Each structure stands twice: as C-alpha cells, then as structure tokens.
Amino acid sequence: MESFLIKGGRPLCGEVTISGSKNAALPILAATLLTQEPCVIRRVPDLSDTRFMVQILQSLGATAKLENGTLTVCARKIKGFADYDLVRKMRGSICIAGPLLARLQRARISLPGGCIIGARPINLHLKGFQALGAKIKIEGGYVEAVTKKLRGATIFLGGRAGPTVLGTANVMMAATLAKGVTVIESAACEPEVVDLAKFLNAMGARIEGAGSPTITITGVSKLHGAEHEVIPDRIEAATFMIAAAATNGEVIIKGARADHLRAVIDKLNEARVTVETRGETLVVRRRGKLKAVDITTLPHSGFPTDVQAQMMALLLLAPGISIITERIFESRFMHVSELARLGADIEIEGPSAIVKGGKALSGAPVMASDLRASAALVIAGLAAKGTTQVNRIYHLDRGYEQMDAKLRKLGAHIRRIQEK
Ligand code: EPZ
C-alpha cells in the first residue's frame, strides 16, 4: 500500500487547476445507460472511483473508454444486473439503478455497503422507485427493482438528515422515461444534481427546477446521445483553498466556481482568510492570524459535509475554541483521533467536535480512513513541523486527481512512497 511522506512548514504558493467533479461525474456516467446512442463526457477526473464506474458500465455491456479526461461511451445493448463485487465496492455505483430501471424496466444490483462515515441506507432511493411503480425485492445481498412501466408520481424524498443527493439523482434519472409527470419534493440542491439535470436535458429529457427543492420531470419516450463537460470539483477546490490558508501561502485556484462555494468562502472569510474571485479563478491568502469559527454541516447551500474534515485541520491552527457540528452523517469524525497524533486537542461531544486551536502541530505517522479525512491529514501534515507519513492513501486516490503532483507544484514537500 502507498503512503504520502510530507515535510511540513512550507507555504503553498502558485497556481493549481481544479479537476472535474467526482460527485457530478459518477451519476452522469450512469446516465449514459439511458440511451442506445453514443455520449461524450469531458472533464471526467481520472480517479479510482471514475475508473470503477467505467468498469461497471462495461460489465453491463456498454462500450466505454476514458482517455485524457474524456469518456466516450455507448450503451447500445445492456443487461439489467451489474457485477456484484464491482458494485458492492463503491457506494456511488448505486446510481446505476435508476437508469437501468428506466431503460430495461428492471435493475438488480448489490446492496451498497455502509462505510466508515455512516450506515448509508438507500431507503429513500427505493421509496422513489416504488412511487414510480417499481416492485422492490431485497435478498441475498441484492436489491432488485422490476416494473411493467414507470409512471410519474409526486415523491417527498426528504430523510432524517434532509435531502439525499444520489437519491435525487436516481429518481430523477428513472423519471425521465416514466409515463407522465414526476415531482420530487425535498430534492437535493447540490450543484452536482444541477449538472446531471443539464446533461439529461441535453439528452432530450424535460427537467425543470434542478437546484431547487422541487424538481419536475416530464417523461419522454426515449433519450438520445449527447456531449457534456462536467463541472469543476468544488470539494477539491475547497481542499486546496484550505491547504493554502493552513500553510499561510498564496494560491491561485483556476477553474473553480465561486458560486458553488459560497458557504466555504463565507466561513474562510470569517476565519480571516481572503478569497478573491476573478471569474473562474480564486486567489486565496490569509489575513494575519486565523480566527476560531463555528461550523455546522448542512445540505446545499449550507456548509458541505465533504469539507468538514479539511476545515477542522485548518481550525487546529486558529487560537481559541471552534465548534464543528456534523449534521449529515452519523460518524464523520474518524480524522479526529489521527489529528490528535499530530498534537491536535479535540473533544467530541455527540454530533460536535470541540477544537482547541492554536497549538503547534508536529509531524507523525497517521492513517487515512476515508476520502475527506485523508485530505484533512494531508493538510495538517503540510502545516505541521517535521515529517508526517499518511498511510493508506488509496482512500485519497478515490477522489483527488494527482493530489501529490498538484501540491508539489505549489511548493509542498510531498512524496508518494510504498508503505513499509
Ligand atoms: C453524496 O453521497 C456524495 N457522494 C457524498 O460525498 C456526500 O457527502 C453526500 O452526497 C452528502 O452531500 C456522491 O455524490 C458520490 P446522501 P450520497 O444520500 O448521495 C441519508 C465524498 O466524500 N440517507 O445525500 O450517498 C444518509 O445516511 C462523498 O465525496 C438516508 O437516510 O449521500 C446521510 O445521512 C462522501 N436514506 C444523508 O441522507 C437514503 O436513502 C445524506 O446522504 C439516502 C441517504
């Protein structure tokens, strides 16, 4: 297994270009199953998750090739069930269910496992499919949805933690080929849902209201091929913004969308980090000593849960008490114990982490546990004195394209090594 070896204490300076959004690309790749015609998707990030999704499309019978960030795919003839092992390994693959159900009137996929940040149920996805007229069966680790014909319906998709992003994506995709009109209430408003709707409409779907809590889909008889460029990854952009602030550097972030990052920019400003917006470029630098701030993660356009861990790493450097409350997932503080190895003083009280910031961090070996927790450990290592080894960075490679190369280009001392 591979690790990152980081020598901390060097400010990040220079320019970095943000890759395409992993969380937009995964449902968009799944949406190509909705048509027999070829599709071309650009700015697909080269990640283990996107490569996995391409394998899943191929295992379903589609021809798919991802080369230099462009995916050419054609799902002319496909089958309704995916390889158990492939689907079980990646949560994001659940979003092939909606397209398969719409295209073939049946979908059989392995139940996605939970993961380290929470149980990750799919009850809302299944509620949506049932409302559209599918019969659901769960047995032997598989979930099977079958229907004669999907019919439009009005569906409330809010759950115990608010809307569901991939649940909204799944039901929206299934509804594109349903007979009649579907209204999704309490829909997720994330930019990734908007990007998916844009691609579906380019394929001939009739979707209105994406980005708002109410999405209306008027079913059509078939969808045609289309081309699309994936939006930039707002979580990667936020990660580099925070790394710039944590190392007291000055970083120019190209290809980022400030309109996707309002809550993050607002919180960084409050913490005395300046984010200057120049079109699709953000310039990030600190304004003197960092200030402790409180964060609560919320559905979009609130503060994104996928930036919570990275922000915690930054707030270790802000003198005083910062309270970070995680409202989306039930156990998304796996990074806390590892940050403590670097000298962090954090106490967990239920859904909140109380960060006592301002203590100097010193390098140590730490273990990555999930995608965004790993990013937090890298940020803390960049800011710490001495050397930090982040082990099991396969977690990072799932969601960050060439993170080490991008950080080296900004002056970081970071190397990828084989874990001894
Ligand atoms: C997407 O996951 C993202 N993944 C996650 O990013 C992100 O953290 C999450 O949305 C929330 O923004 C992808 O897009 C591939 P949810 P998703 O359904 O859609 C509960 C990353 O780091 N829920 O919005 O699976 C669920 O347990 C990843 O890039 C139900 O109760 O998340 C959670 O508490 C991590 N029933 C809340 O809703 C359901 O049927 C939000 O989950 C579905 C979800």
Side-chain angles (χ1 to χ4, degrees), residues 242-266:
I242 292 168
T247 57
N248 203 5
E250 175 163 333
V251 174
I252 298 166
I253 298 181
K254 294 177 78 68
R257 289 273 303 266
D259 58 322
H260 292 168
L261 287 157
R262 293 283 173 236
V264 173
I265 293 172
D266 177 61

Short mmCIF file of all heavy atoms in Angstrom, two decimals, residues 242-266:
data_model
loop_
_atom_site.label_atom_id
_atom_site.label_comp_id
_atom_site.label_asym_id
_atom_site.label_seq_id
_atom_site.Cartn_x
_atom_site.Cartn_y
_atom_site.Cartn_z
N ILE A 242 -8.21 25.59 1.54
CA ILE A 242 -7.90 25.40 2.97
C ILE A 242 -6.42 25.08 3.16
O ILE A 242 -5.77 25.57 4.09
CB ILE A 242 -8.82 24.30 3.55
CG1 ILE A 242 -10.27 24.81 3.58
CG2 ILE A 242 -8.36 23.86 4.93
CD1 ILE A 242 -11.31 23.75 3.87
N ALA A 243 -5.85 24.29 2.24
CA ALA A 243 -4.41 23.98 2.34
C ALA A 243 -3.58 25.26 2.19
O ALA A 243 -2.58 25.47 2.90
CB ALA A 243 -4.02 22.97 1.27
N ALA A 244 -4.01 26.16 1.31
CA ALA A 244 -3.30 27.44 1.13
C ALA A 244 -3.34 28.23 2.44
O ALA A 244 -2.31 28.73 2.91
CB ALA A 244 -3.96 28.25 0.02
N ALA A 245 -4.51 28.27 3.06
CA ALA A 245 -4.66 29.04 4.32
C ALA A 245 -3.87 28.37 5.46
O ALA A 245 -3.20 29.04 6.24
CB ALA A 245 -6.14 29.12 4.69
N ALA A 246 -3.90 27.03 5.47
CA ALA A 246 -3.24 26.32 6.59
C ALA A 246 -1.73 26.50 6.55
O ALA A 246 -1.06 26.47 7.58
CB ALA A 246 -3.58 24.83 6.52
N THR A 247 -1.18 26.69 5.34
CA THR A 247 0.29 26.83 5.23
C THR A 247 0.71 28.29 5.12
O THR A 247 1.87 28.58 4.85
CB THR A 247 0.80 26.07 3.98
OG1 THR A 247 0.11 26.61 2.84
CG2 THR A 247 0.53 24.57 4.10
N ASN A 248 -0.29 29.19 5.27
CA ASN A 248 -0.02 30.64 5.20
C ASN A 248 0.63 31.02 3.87
O ASN A 248 1.60 31.77 3.82
CB ASN A 248 0.89 31.07 6.35
CG ASN A 248 0.74 32.57 6.64
OD1 ASN A 248 -0.12 33.23 6.03
ND2 ASN A 248 1.58 33.10 7.50
N GLY A 249 0.11 30.40 2.81
CA GLY A 249 0.65 30.67 1.48
C GLY A 249 -0.29 31.57 0.69
O GLY A 249 -1.18 32.21 1.25
N GLU A 250 -0.07 31.58 -0.61
CA GLU A 250 -0.98 32.32 -1.51
C GLU A 250 -1.14 31.48 -2.77
O GLU A 250 -0.17 31.22 -3.49
CB GLU A 250 -0.40 33.70 -1.87
CG GLU A 250 -1.29 34.41 -2.90
CD GLU A 250 -1.02 35.90 -2.99
OE1 GLU A 250 -0.58 36.49 -1.99
OE2 GLU A 250 -1.25 36.46 -4.08
N VAL A 251 -2.37 30.99 -3.01
CA VAL A 251 -2.61 30.04 -4.10
C VAL A 251 -3.67 30.58 -5.05
O VAL A 251 -4.70 31.12 -4.61
CB VAL A 251 -3.02 28.66 -3.55
CG1 VAL A 251 -3.42 27.71 -4.68
CG2 VAL A 251 -1.89 28.05 -2.72
N ILE A 252 -3.38 30.45 -6.34
CA ILE A 252 -4.34 30.82 -7.38
C ILE A 252 -5.01 29.54 -7.85
O ILE A 252 -4.35 28.61 -8.33
CB ILE A 252 -3.62 31.51 -8.57
CG1 ILE A 252 -2.94 32.79 -8.09
CG2 ILE A 252 -4.60 31.81 -9.72
CD1 ILE A 252 -1.92 33.34 -9.08
N ILE A 253 -6.33 29.47 -7.63
CA ILE A 253 -7.06 28.23 -7.94
C ILE A 253 -7.87 28.46 -9.22
O ILE A 253 -8.80 29.24 -9.24
CB ILE A 253 -7.97 27.85 -6.76
CG1 ILE A 253 -7.08 27.60 -5.54
CG2 ILE A 253 -8.83 26.63 -7.08
CD1 ILE A 253 -7.76 27.20 -4.29
N LYS A 254 -7.43 27.78 -10.30
CA LYS A 254 -8.06 28.02 -11.60
C LYS A 254 -9.17 26.99 -11.85
O LYS A 254 -9.08 25.84 -11.42
CB LYS A 254 -7.00 27.89 -12.71
CG LYS A 254 -5.96 29.02 -12.60
CD LYS A 254 -4.87 28.86 -13.64
CE LYS A 254 -5.29 29.32 -15.02
NZ LYS A 254 -5.51 30.79 -15.13
N GLY A 255 -10.22 27.47 -12.54
CA GLY A 255 -11.29 26.55 -12.94
C GLY A 255 -12.24 26.24 -11.81
O GLY A 255 -12.98 25.27 -11.85
N ALA A 256 -12.23 27.07 -10.73
CA ALA A 256 -13.18 26.82 -9.64
C ALA A 256 -14.42 27.70 -9.85
O ALA A 256 -14.34 28.73 -10.50
CB ALA A 256 -12.53 27.15 -8.30
N ARG A 257 -15.53 27.27 -9.30
CA ARG A 257 -16.79 28.02 -9.43
C ARG A 257 -17.13 28.61 -8.06
O ARG A 257 -17.57 27.92 -7.17
CB ARG A 257 -17.90 27.07 -9.88
CG ARG A 257 -17.81 26.57 -11.31
CD ARG A 257 -18.50 27.54 -12.27
NE ARG A 257 -19.88 27.78 -11.95
CZ ARG A 257 -20.91 27.08 -12.50
NH1 ARG A 257 -20.64 26.09 -13.35
NH2 ARG A 257 -22.15 27.37 -12.21
N ALA A 258 -16.91 29.94 -7.90
CA ALA A 258 -17.19 30.58 -6.60
C ALA A 258 -18.67 30.40 -6.22
O ALA A 258 -19.00 30.23 -5.05
CB ALA A 258 -16.84 32.06 -6.66
N ASP A 259 -19.54 30.35 -7.24
CA ASP A 259 -20.98 30.23 -6.94
C ASP A 259 -21.32 28.87 -6.35
O ASP A 259 -22.40 28.68 -5.78
CB ASP A 259 -21.83 30.52 -8.17
CG ASP A 259 -21.50 29.59 -9.33
OD1 ASP A 259 -20.30 29.27 -9.51
OD2 ASP A 259 -22.42 29.15 -10.03
N HIS A 260 -20.40 27.90 -6.46
CA HIS A 260 -20.63 26.58 -5.83
C HIS A 260 -20.05 26.53 -4.42
O HIS A 260 -20.15 25.49 -3.76
CB HIS A 260 -19.96 25.48 -6.65
CG HIS A 260 -20.59 25.27 -7.99
ND1 HIS A 260 -19.99 24.50 -8.96
CD2 HIS A 260 -21.74 25.72 -8.53
CE1 HIS A 260 -20.76 24.50 -10.04
NE2 HIS A 260 -21.82 25.22 -9.81
N LEU A 261 -19.40 27.60 -4.01
CA LEU A 261 -18.60 27.56 -2.78
C LEU A 261 -18.93 28.69 -1.80
O LEU A 261 -18.10 29.03 -0.97
CB LEU A 261 -17.11 27.63 -3.14
CG LEU A 261 -16.51 26.35 -3.76
CD1 LEU A 261 -15.27 26.66 -4.58
CD2 LEU A 261 -16.18 25.35 -2.66
N ARG A 262 -20.13 29.23 -1.90
CA ARG A 262 -20.47 30.41 -1.09
C ARG A 262 -20.26 30.16 0.41
O ARG A 262 -19.65 30.97 1.10
CB ARG A 262 -21.93 30.84 -1.34
CG ARG A 262 -22.18 31.36 -2.73
CD ARG A 262 -21.67 32.79 -2.92
NE ARG A 262 -21.78 33.21 -4.33
CZ ARG A 262 -20.72 33.65 -5.03
NH1 ARG A 262 -19.53 33.70 -4.48
NH2 ARG A 262 -20.84 34.02 -6.29
N ALA A 263 -20.74 29.03 0.91
CA ALA A 263 -20.67 28.79 2.37
C ALA A 263 -19.21 28.62 2.81
O ALA A 263 -18.80 29.12 3.87
CB ALA A 263 -21.47 27.54 2.73
N VAL A 264 -18.41 27.97 1.97
CA VAL A 264 -16.99 27.75 2.31
C VAL A 264 -16.25 29.09 2.29
O VAL A 264 -15.50 29.43 3.22
CB VAL A 264 -16.34 26.76 1.33
CG1 VAL A 264 -14.84 26.64 1.58
CG2 VAL A 264 -16.99 25.38 1.45
N ILE A 265 -16.50 29.89 1.26
CA ILE A 265 -15.83 31.20 1.16
C ILE A 265 -16.24 32.09 2.33
O ILE A 265 -15.40 32.74 2.96
CB ILE A 265 -16.16 31.87 -0.20
CG1 ILE A 265 -15.53 31.07 -1.35
CG2 ILE A 265 -15.71 33.34 -0.23
CD1 ILE A 265 -15.95 31.51 -2.74
N ASP A 266 -17.52 32.00 2.71
CA ASP A 266 -18.00 32.84 3.83
C ASP A 266 -17.28 32.46 5.13
O ASP A 266 -16.81 33.31 5.89
CB ASP A 266 -19.52 32.61 3.97
CG ASP A 266 -20.10 33.38 5.15
OD1 ASP A 266 -20.02 34.62 5.15
OD2 ASP A 266 -20.55 32.70 6.11
#
